[in-house]
Amino acid sequence: MPKNSKVVKRELDDEVIESVKDLLSNEDSSDDAFKKSELMVDDQEEKDVDVEEGSDVEDERPAWNSKLQYILAQVGFSVGLGNVWRFPYLCQKNGGGAYLVPYLILLLIIGIPLFFLELAVGQRIRRGSIGVWNYISPKLGGIGFASCVVCFFVALYYNVIIGWSLFYFSQSFQHPLPWDQCPLVKNTSHTFVEPECEKSSATTYYWYREALNISSSLSESGGLNWKMTICLLAAWVMVCLAMIKGIQSSGKIMYFSSLFPYVVLLCFLIRGLLLNGSVDGIRHMFTPKLEIMLEPKVWREAATQVFFALGLGFGGVIAFSSYNKRDNNCHFDAVLVSFINFFTSVLATLVVFAVLGFKANIINEKCVIQNSEKILKLLKIGNLSQDMIPHHINFSSITAEDYNLVYDIIQKVKEEEFDSLGLKSCQIEDELNKAVQGTGLAFIAFTEAMTHFPASPFWSVMFFLMLVNLGLGSMFGTIEGIITPIVDTFKVRKEILTVICCLVAFFIGLIFVQRSGNYFVTMFDDYSATLPLLIVVILENIAVTRIYGIDKFMEDLKDMLGFSPSQYYYYMWKYVSPLVLLCLLVASIVQMGLSPPGYNAWIEDTAMEEFHSYPTWGMIVCISLMVLAVLPVPIVFMVRRCNLIDDSSGSLASVSYKRGRIIKEPVNMEGDNTSLIHGKSPSEVPSPNFGKNIYRKQSGSPTLDTAPNGRYGIGYLMADMPDMPESDL
């Protein structure tokens, strides 16, 4: 060893220590300087190479223009059509106001903790779902691919619902509304009401016959419905144009698409409260039935609604949060968005049942008039005695209370022959107890109620425009859950990928605009998302708490937030949430096994729905949807486990920054005990296939070359050490 080797080594060590101290003490300023840094390309053969747009070099990640824009994006994604037509149905079905108790409990147990978890990993690692879970554990990288598959399946049929809303929106600009009355059929001799409409109702007929032109079974295709095909194309064009520039384009639209539904809901609530019978609907809605609250089915359905209301597992939450700054308070965001979602559901429930109470009151009045006329006829022909009718009853202006008094008297006196009289009990509660959800609520029940509004076309336009905006907000998050992970992982142009994705989805979605398309929507809604998403979120929880380590994750949160999160989340993530999710998964499988797989087909002759079982090929499709959605998880696991893909060229999980160079680390990220605080964030790691050595040189700091992420712990080494291998990246 040369005489002065120790001196040289000591000076080198001192330089490293001082540099690291400087970097750590000026981490924030370094981050700011990095944002202004220029891109340097170190290549032995090509000294002057321009970096063109669309190259493999990863530019600075896009960011939200403001915190408000980000919150609106998350709210728009989580608040969707289910808040309007699913939550009110579950509330009515499962104990009225008492249903809010299990819902709130489960929101605190699984909703907010898991939503917080997805926000945190997306914000810290700054990647889409594929990159996030590949970074935490390459063997669990299939979680991200599974999320993308589920997002694609959901996007296929969800945009069809937006197409239906667009069709009704376009038909609302006329008075009277086209679904106000049954159409008349003319023949050579006389004119009569359409039989199918007469047997059902005007709004039911319009939905099944005029809008969907539905076939009588799943197997009977009936060809394309051209009206709905055009609406579906319009829906995909809207989504494509909004998403083509990523959050730069969709973020601006969020100001309208996320806020407009609240304006409409408040207008409907004010208008609804002024209608006769609205208070009866709201009172019926929130009258607690405590005995129902103790049933396990209520808790299962509440847990399912919490799970899907927040969009857990789709990847949209992770994608949106990946565009945040690292020091953003994602805990506050998780609590805020969760409770906005909850209060939106309650607001929508108030609106729905105020309007349904008005509708029930109108139907009840018609029932009273019709049955009063029957009583008068029975009195005239002598089947009923005038003596049994109280003297104060005036059948020309009879109230519902007076009619029910007469009805009870006749029922007691004519107990044996009462059924033959054909009288009906006209109770407003009977009408309100008819549980309606989904398309039946939006396109039939609510639509029928609006025909009785003064200025009904205006309210119809507002309602269906609200549905379009609610759907688009959720679609933006769903598509972002597909686009962002693929762009991050495969470095493709976002514009091209968005157009291709929307085109492919439109052509596959043509199966939903056949005459039998509504049955396929039901199939996809029942089987493409429920079980796969539960599995995905369970694996997400395991990946963070068991594979990566709950203690390290809590330290990462402390580093990001500037304070230690409550230990409540520690125990929720580690013990309670996984247990509740497993119970929900088992309950869902049991429920799926006990419920016969099938759909409600519309029979034209009887003008009624009839339950049909899926044919053999339909069952194969249902099973295939579930299998295809979760298949990426075992495939990626086996590929990583058996080393079927050579990672020697570098990967997101094995690339690290050295001083002045990118080099490969022969480190398995699964076994790496380094937390995200000191580790490298893959969002800022350039593509592993550059063919050049790339680093960023800070402007104004000629002697200091830094890693892009501004975290310098183990990723900072001297580049000019003789034993340091050159990167072949």
Side-chain angles (χ1 to χ4, degrees), residues 371-390 395 403 406-424:
N371 284 273
S372 295
E373 292 175 353
K374 288 183 180 180
I375 293 175
L376 287 174
K377 290 180 181 179
L378 292 172
L379 289 171
K380 287 180 180 180
I381 62 176
N383 286 1
L384 294 178
S385 173
Q386 186 69 42
D387 296 336
M388 67 177 62
I389 307 298
F395 283 102
Y403 169 77
V406 174
Y407 177 87
D408 292 337
I409 293 173
I410 296 175
Q411 188 178 28
K412 292 177 181 177
V413 175
K414 298 285 186 178
E415 185 176 355
E416 296 181 357
E417 51 185 302
F418 180 77
D419 293 337
S420 62
L421 298 178
L423 297 178
K424 294 181 179 179

Side-chain angles (χ1 to χ4, degrees), residues 284-586:
H284 175 82
M285 181 69 258
F286 289 103
T287 301
K289 305 175 183 66
L290 299 177
E291 66 281 359
I292 299 179
M293 192 181 71
L294 301 177
E295 297 179 5
K297 179 187 69 171
V298 174
W299 290 81
R300 177 182 63 80
E301 293 187 341
T304 304
Q305 179 64 15
V306 167
F307 185 85
F308 288 105
L310 294 174
L312 300 175
F314 280 97
V317 173
I318 294 175
F320 280 151
S321 66
S322 71
Y323 299 112
N324 268 332
K325 295 179 180 179
R326 287 238 175 75
D327 58 352
N328 175 61
N329 189 345
C330 54
H331 173 256
F332 172 79
D333 300 342
V335 176
L336 177 65
V337 173
S338 297
F339 278 101
I340 288 177
N341 186 293
F342 170 70
F343 287 116
T344 304
S345 298
V346 175
L347 174 62
T349 301
L350 285 170
V351 171
V352 167
F353 276 89
V355 174
L356 291 184
F358 165 67
K359 171 176 171 280
N361 187 71
I362 291 176
I363 293 175
N364 195 59
E365 287 178 355
K366 291 181 179 179
C367 175
V368 169
I369 293 172
Q370 291 172 355
N371 284 273
S372 295
E373 292 175 353
K374 288 183 180 180
I375 293 175
L376 287 174
K377 290 180 181 179
L378 292 172
L379 289 171
K380 287 180 180 180
I381 62 176
N383 286 1
L384 294 178
S385 173
Q386 186 69 42
D387 296 336
M388 67 177 62
I389 307 298
H391 297 292
H392 70 277
I393 300 296
N394 182 6
F395 283 102
S396 61
S397 60
I398 190 171
T399 62
E401 292 77 10
D402 288 342
Y403 169 77
N404 287 318
L405 176 62
V406 174
Y407 177 87
D408 292 337
I409 293 173
I410 296 175
Q411 188 178 28
K412 292 177 181 177
V413 175
K414 298 285 186 178
E415 185 176 355
E416 296 181 357
E417 51 185 302
F418 180 77
D419 293 337
S420 62
L421 298 178
L423 297 178
K424 294 181 179 179
S425 173
C426 297
Q427 298 284 345
I428 195 170
E429 288 78 12
D430 295 338
E431 189 64 30
L432 289 170
N433 281 329
K434 295 178 181 177
V436 184
Q437 65 166 323
T439 55
L441 174 62
F443 298 107
I444 298 177
F446 210 90
T447 305
E448 180 180 349
M450 286 189 296
T451 60
H452 301 288
F453 281 23
S456 56
F458 168 78
W459 294 104
S460 183
V461 167
M462 294 283 284
F463 177 71
F464 289 110
L465 187 57
M466 179 190 72
L467 292 187
V468 169
N469 279 276
L470 285 172
L472 286 176
S474 297
M475 275 298 296
F476 293 158
T478 304
I479 297 298
E480 198 68 56
I482 303 172
I483 301 297
T484 297
I486 295 178
V487 169
D488 288 344
T489 305
F490 300 105
K491 308 300 177 187
V492 297
R493 283 181 63 94
K494 177 167 284 189
E495 295 87 347
I496 296 175
L497 178 62
T498 302
V499 172
I500 292 174
C501 178
C502 291
L503 279 175
V504 171
F506 167 71
F507 284 111
I508 296 177
L510 291 177
I511 65 172
F512 301 108
V513 290
Q514 305 174 96
R515 291 184 59 194
S516 60
N518 188 43
Y519 307 138
F520 283 97
V521 171
T522 302
M523 176 189 292
F524 272 66
D525 191 36
D526 290 342
Y527 293 96
S528 67
T530 306
L531 291 183
L533 280 180
L534 280 170
I535 294 172
V536 163
V537 176
I538 289 172
L539 291 176
E540 287 180 359
N541 195 287
I542 293 173
V544 171
T545 59
R546 308 294 176 182
I547 307 299
Y548 179 71
I550 185 66
D551 295 319
K552 288 188 290 183
F553 186 61
M554 295 294 286
E555 287 296 319
D556 294 340
L557 291 174
K558 181 179 179 181
D559 176 69
M560 279 198 307
L561 303 176
F563 62 88
S564 297
S566 169
Q567 286 297 304
Y568 169 81
Y569 293 104
Y570 179 93
Y571 294 107
M572 288 296 108
W573 286 329
K574 191 170 184 179
Y575 303 111
V576 181
S577 294
L579 181 62
V580 174
L581 287 173
L582 284 173
C583 292
L584 181 58
L585 178 63
V586 172

Side-chain angles (χ1 to χ4, degrees), residues 12 37 91 102 135 187 189 247 403 427 435 529 533 549 623 719:
L12 181 62
S37 64
C91 199
Y135 180 84
N187 59 17
S189 59
I247 63 171
Y403 169 77
Q427 298 284 345
L533 280 180
I623 296 172

Side-chain angles (χ1 to χ4, degrees), residues 651-672:
S651 68
L652 290 175
S654 61
V655 174
S656 180
Y657 284 87
K658 307 296 179 178
R659 186 180 183 186
R661 296 276 192 272
I662 297 177
I663 74 165
K664 293 180 297 181
E665 288 185 307
V667 178
N668 182 0
M669 291 302 294
E670 286 185 86
D672 190 4

Side-chain angles (χ1 to χ4, degrees), residues 59-71:
D59 296 329
E60 185 178 352
R61 191 170 185 82
W64 298 101
N65 291 337
S66 66
K67 180 66 173 283
L68 176 62
Q69 190 181 83
Y70 165 68
I71 293 296

